[in-house]
Amino acid sequence: MSHILTPTLTPVCVAIAASLLAAAPAASQQELPSEWTLCINEGNVYPPDIAADGCTAVIRSGDRKPRELAVAFTNRGLAYRAQGDLDRALSDYDSAIKLNPNYAVAFNNRGAARRDRGEYDLAIADYTEALRIDSRNAAIMTNRGAAYQDKGDLNRAIADYDQALRIDPTYATALTNRGNAYREQGDLDRAAADYAAATEADPTNAVAFNNRGAVYLVKGDFEHAVVYCTEAIRLNPKYALAFANRGVAWRNRGELDLAIADFGEAIRFNPRLGTAIVNRANVWRDKGEFDRALADYGDAIKLNPRNTFALMSRGLARLRRGELDSSIADFDAALALNPRLADSLYGRGIAKHKKGDLEGADADLAAAKAIRPGIAQEFALSEIQ
């Protein structure tokens, strides 16, 4: 079993950031003092700490109009958010809004910071206020849709993406996000169509190519999955999710060494990508290299002790090695987190049967078959019996 990685796209992942950079007021653009140059940070030339220092200099100058100060507070908030300091970012956005209550960018950026904190209702309220001020802004409309999607309200998310695309029919971020929402609803054809449109609208959109590849993975078309994930990697050579998804495609094509190489790259670029670690472990298991497999499972479980995929997979590896007690312990741990994991139930049933606990084995095997009727055939094909 391999997991396919297609996380909900947020605009910060592509060309349009979830937070919008505030431009300096027109009156200040004729000759920008050095602190304005740093604070505006056009093209993100300066690192966030330098941009924040420039904004602080503007704020402390004592000779700025409220509208100019609102810009400085908003851009400093953006810099703080980039540094992971959400408390200071939110404080600056609050200050900007007090100075200019009709500043859509400040409301949008505060919504993005609140979304980062998982405060989705507050984020939606901020995006809604930003849209009251600037109702034709496709980026803000898309950001609100993403917050609804984070909440699990896919219908309202899709409605916002639809509206964003009425404003800008070629807005690749809205197309990609709507594709993700359709995919979560199980509508793979619509998802694929949106991803295709996104790649046509923005041929540099690595996320859209990756997600298009992921749809082909779900459909079992591994050849096309490789093609689109490869294009995503060409556009972004450090794109961990694309490497991980292509690894899944290689594994399903029987190209185990290529799969291991791609999972290795995914882990190199994102050492905390637990799913890639487990998927690589599963390929080591496929190759019969159980020590390497168990090492990877252990690393994934250290990252997240509640990773049921890792616990179940390690249990299966230990079962194939004949380590019955250890495998049962892993299955027990996975089932304690989710009692309806058919693979863990069936694997535990096999382990109990081998230990002579026939009654316990029959109960586990029957429970697994009730959840997934074809599981016995799946295990037979994987040579775990």
Side-chain angles (χ1 to χ4, degrees), residues 99-159:
L99 287 162
N100 185 355
N102 289 310
Y103 196 13
V105 173
F107 280 107
N108 173 79
N109 288 11
R110 190 171 71 178
R114 284 174 163 171
R115 185 174 164 225
D116 287 346
R117 297 206 333 184
E119 297 171 349
Y120 302 127
D121 289 330
L122 290 174
I124 288 166
D126 272 344
Y127 291 137
T128 300
E129 186 63 16
L131 288 166
R132 182 190 66 77
I133 300 163
D134 185 4
S135 62
R136 299 286 299 171
N137 191 309
I140 298 173
M141 187 68 70
T142 300
N143 287 346
R144 190 176 70 174
Y148 277 126
Q149 193 164 347
D150 288 339
K151 277 190 67 177
D153 191 341
L154 298 180
N155 289 331
R156 293 184 80 169
I158 289 170

Side-chain angles (χ1 to χ4, degrees), residues 1-5 217 233 239-252 255-271 273-284 286 296 309:
M1 177 185 297
S2 296
H3 277 196
I4 297 166
L5 306 172
L217 278 181
I233 292 165
Y239 194 179
L241 294 181
F243 276 110
N245 280 347
R246 192 173 68 175
V248 174
W250 289 132
R251 183 190 178 204
N252 281 285
E255 304 273 6
L256 301 187
D257 290 334
L258 290 174
I260 286 173
D262 271 355
F263 291 136
E265 288 295 277
I267 295 162
R268 181 164 72 93
F269 293 123
N270 184 356
L273 191 56
T275 310
I277 298 172
V278 179
N279 280 347
R280 186 174 68 177
N282 286 342
V283 180
W284 289 129
D286 293 343
D296 271 350
F309 181 41

Side-chain angles (χ1 to χ4, degrees), residues 291-352:
D291 289 338
R292 283 179 159 178
L294 291 172
D296 271 350
Y297 292 135
D299 287 343
I301 292 165
K302 284 178 186 176
L303 282 174
N304 178 11
R306 299 178 63 83
N307 187 333
T308 56
F309 181 41
L311 289 164
M312 177 272 296
S313 298
R314 188 172 69 177
L316 292 174
R318 286 173 163 171
L319 178 59
R320 287 183 65 172
R321 285 234 297 199
E323 299 172 0
L324 301 181
D325 290 333
S326 295
S327 70
I328 289 172
D330 278 340
F331 295 137
D332 285 345
L335 290 165
L337 295 167
N338 182 353
R340 290 187 56 78
L341 291 173
D343 293 280
S344 292
L345 284 166
Y346 201 87
R348 190 173 67 178
I350 293 173
K352 285 180 178 179

Side-chain angles (χ1 to χ4, degrees), residues 3-84:
H3 277 196
I4 297 166
L5 306 172
T6 51
T8 299
L9 172 67
T10 62
V12 75
C13 296
V14 292
I16 303 298
S19 291
L20 304 178
L21 189 66
S28 300
Q29 288 180 338
Q30 295 174 4
E31 270 188 46
L32 293 177
S34 60
E35 63 264 23
W36 270 118
T37 301
L38 297 174
C39 183
I40 295 169
N41 198 14
E42 187 173 354
N44 292 315
V45 173
Y46 304 105
D49 58 329
I50 299 299
D53 288 344
C55 293
T56 298
V58 172
I59 292 164
R60 291 177 177 172
S61 65
D63 61 353
R64 298 295 175 185
K65 297 177 181 179
R67 183 164 169 260
E68 293 175 319
L69 289 174
V71 171
F73 274 113
T74 298
N75 280 5
R76 191 173 70 173
L78 179 61
Y80 285 148
R81 179 174 174 241
Q83 293 175 295

